[in-house]
Amino acid sequence: MNTIALIILVALLFDFALNCLADYLNLSMLKDDLPRDFRGLYDPERYRKSQEYLKVNTRFGWVTASFDLVVIMVFWFGKGFPLLDEWVRALSHGPILSGLIYMAVLMISKSLISLPFGIYHTFVIEERFGFNQTTWKTYILDLLKGLFLGIILGTPLLAGILAFFEYAGASAWWLCWIAVTIYMLGVQFIAPTWIMPLFNKYTPLEAGELKSAILSYADAIKFPIENVYVMDGSKRSSKSNAFFTGFGAHRRIVLFDTLIKRHTTGELVAILAHETGHYKKKHIIQSLILGALQMGFTLYLLSLFISYSGLFEAFYMPRMSVYAGLIFFAMLYSPLDFFIGLLMQRLSRRNETEADHFSVETTRDPQSMVDALKKLSVHNLTNLLPHPFYVFLNYSHPPVLQRIKTILSR
Ligand SMILES: [Zn+2]
């Protein structure tokens, strides 16, 4: 086993162990008595249910993570990578088509292996806790649409990356960077109007009390919010959410129908103001820029490693290729990705606090924001007391009690 193999193996095991530790700490925080702020909202029975939900999901996470780890080890040390390579090379297509086939086989196998777990999660766990509203028909159609999109959007992207690294020599990484960035921006740009409607129905918010409340809020902050859409989230789950998407003329704020059903107008305006805060505080543009920088950095590192024979030896590959190099590099990169991920989560938590502030400052209605957060948490069976280490590893939002505290302390 060479150094590269050792680094990847240690990283895989370390990541697994770290997540198990975080889960363990998280579960050890569970207490029987309800936090004071939630008295009167969470009844004891529902609070118990939220803890049960956390336990069930954590256990399920352990099973999937262990299974994934075993599969990858067996495939790696059972010399699955070179075996597949031999088969693909025997078809004797050029390097680009071979690369696409190699990657497609790996990706499709991965999806098929995780399919039973996904089905179990939706139709057993989510069903048991009253969240699932998906029918088999919707579930299967989602899978097929996902596959179709993956082929349509993924093929040119991957073929492009492979071609740059195959033929462009030392300039490959930055040419690739420019191309990939433009491509990603293009996809983001068309996503709200062309891609998302494949999965959900988006209807403009009807005239009424909510619409006029939103318009007068938009007027007060001098920010045009014409594009508020209602999404039929209830088609899949009773959980509710809201988000801001797209940019330019395509930008829109989306409220789930499940959200509108359950919240007061004041709460909905507070939530919408939070989403507007993400836009006004430039979080959307910030995440686009950071994503692009990260992409450039990754491609540069890729260019350094892609023709390094040690990377291929680590996976028992007798012959080098751009496509296999891409996959092996992704595995080698994962520890770095992990640390970058932690920084991004931290930034995201800070942005959420900023968006909360924006909402409270512009609506001058902290109570509605707090009520909205409480209601959302109770309905979604949110864990009220996550362990700080678990939050550090996994949370893109601050824990709800902390958000409430911050809002009320201003
Ligand atoms: Zn947010």
Side-chain angles (χ1 to χ4, degrees):
M1 180 176 280
N2 71 6
T3 323
I4 300 268
L6 202 62
I7 293 174
I8 296 173
L9 185 63
V10 169
L12 277 173
L13 296 174
F14 181 73
D15 183 65
F16 181 79
L18 204 64
N19 279 301
C20 284
L21 175 69
D23 281 335
Y24 169 76
L25 292 172
N26 210 25
L27 289 182
S28 72
M29 293 280 286
L30 293 181
K31 284 194 197 75
D32 287 340
D33 46 335
L34 187 62
R36 195 155 37 101
D37 293 336
F38 274 79
R39 275 181 205 154
L41 250 175
Y42 247 134
D43 64 78
E45 185 47 33
R46 191 151 182 90
Y47 187 58
R48 203 196 49 73
K49 202 172 165 190
S50 82
Q51 302 201 335
E52 186 61 23
Y53 187 56
L54 179 71
K55 283 186 207 156
V56 168
N57 270 318
T58 308
R59 255 180 261 137
F60 178 72
W62 280 336
V63 173
T64 50
S66 313
F67 184 79
D68 286 350
L69 191 66
V70 170
V71 167
I72 198 151
M73 294 289 184
V74 168
F75 191 73
W76 177 3
F77 296 111
K79 310 208 163 114
F81 290 106
L83 270 174
L84 178 62
D85 198 41
E86 252 171 59
W87 176 76
V88 170
R89 281 177 191 272
L91 302 173
S92 66
H93 297 295
I96 309 294
L97 192 54
S98 296
L100 290 175
I101 296 172
Y102 193 84
M103 291 184 170
V105 171
L106 287 179
M107 281 189 236
I108 291 172
S109 315
K110 193 170 183 282
S111 312
L112 284 177
I113 288 173
S114 58
L115 187 62
F117 294 98
I119 291 173
Y120 183 84
H121 188 256
T122 303
F123 292 100
V124 178
I125 298 181
E126 294 288 286
E127 183 77 40
R128 175 176 154 199
F129 288 92
F131 291 130
N132 179 41
Q133 300 191 354
T134 311
T135 58
W136 278 99
K137 188 182 156 205
T138 308
Y139 196 84
I140 291 166
L141 276 176
D142 279 356
L143 287 173
L144 293 176
K145 287 178 204 165
L147 182 68
F148 168 77
L149 268 181
I151 293 170
I152 297 273
L153 296 175
T155 309
L157 181 69
L158 270 178
I161 296 175
L162 291 173
F164 277 116
F165 278 93
E166 193 74 47
Y167 303 116
S171 324
W173 75 270
W174 63 266
L175 286 173
C176 202
W177 183 20
I178 295 173
V180 171
T181 305
I182 293 173
Y183 187 78
M184 295 291 200
L185 283 178
V187 171
Q188 290 247 15
F189 190 70
I190 58 160
T193 31
W194 288 9
I195 299 175
M196 286 155 52
L198 293 176
F199 295 90
N200 282 96
K201 237 188 232 120
Y202 293 86
T203 31
L205 182 64
E206 293 168 17
E209 191 202 346
L210 178 59
K211 178 115 186 204
S212 24
I214 290 173
L215 288 179
S216 72
Y217 168 75
D219 219 35
I221 60 162
K222 300 192 172 43
F223 181 70
I225 312 179
E226 294 107 23
N227 296 334
V228 180
Y229 284 79
V230 182
M231 187 188 106
D232 60 343
S234 58
K235 187 173 154 190
R236 295 192 184 79
S237 169
S238 69
K239 285 185 179 171
S240 44
N241 209 345
F243 59 91
F244 204 115
T245 174
F247 44 88
H250 291 257
R251 71 163 189 245
R252 48 173 71 172
I253 292 181
V254 176
L255 304 173
F256 281 36
D257 55 353
T258 41
L259 192 78
I260 294 179
K261 203 176 83 186
R262 230 172 276 118
H263 290 266
T264 65
T265 300
E267 289 162 12
L268 288 166
V269 171
I271 292 170
L272 179 122
H274 170 101
E275 297 307 326
T276 310
H278 281 309
Y279 187 85
K280 290 283 266 187
K281 296 282 175 185
K282 308 212 167 17
H283 298 158
I284 315 241
I285 218 75
Q286 178 198 61
S287 77
L288 285 176
I289 293 172
L290 284 175
L293 288 177
Q294 218 178 314
M295 174 65 66
F297 177 61
T298 314
L299 288 169
Y300 173 69
L301 286 182
L302 172 67
S303 74
L304 299 182
F305 280 95
I306 201 154
S307 45
Y308 174 57
S309 61
L311 187 61
F312 294 84
E313 281 158 21
F315 292 90
Y316 312 106
M317 289 286 271
R319 295 164 77 179
M320 292 172 46
S321 60
V322 171
Y323 54 83
L326 208 64
I327 294 163
F328 302 152
F329 172 76
M331 291 179 73
L332 178 64
Y333 182 72
S334 65
L336 202 55
D337 195 36
F338 169 79
F339 289 110
I340 294 174
L342 288 182
L343 288 177
M344 299 299 273
Q345 298 264 46
R346 207 190 143 94
L347 179 68
S348 165
R349 291 194 296 270
R350 213 198 62 192
N351 287 347
E352 291 305 331
T353 307
E354 230 175 62
D356 281 347
H357 286 171
F358 182 87
S359 170
V360 169
E361 256 162 37
T362 51
T363 57
R364 287 187 214 94
D365 184 8
Q367 198 53 48
S368 286
M369 190 69 213
V370 168
D371 288 345
L373 285 173
K374 282 186 181 172
K375 238 187 235 180
L376 270 170
S377 313
V378 172
H379 179 74
N380 294 347
L381 294 175
T382 305
N383 179 16
L384 297 182
L385 296 168
H387 191 278
F389 184 61
Y390 190 89
V391 173
F392 174 71
L393 282 189
N394 299 306
Y395 271 45
S396 61
H397 291 58
V400 64
L401 284 179
Q402 194 183 318
R403 283 176 79 180
I404 292 175
K405 221 177 184 174
T406 316
I407 291 169
L408 292 177
S409 69
R410 284 175 64 86

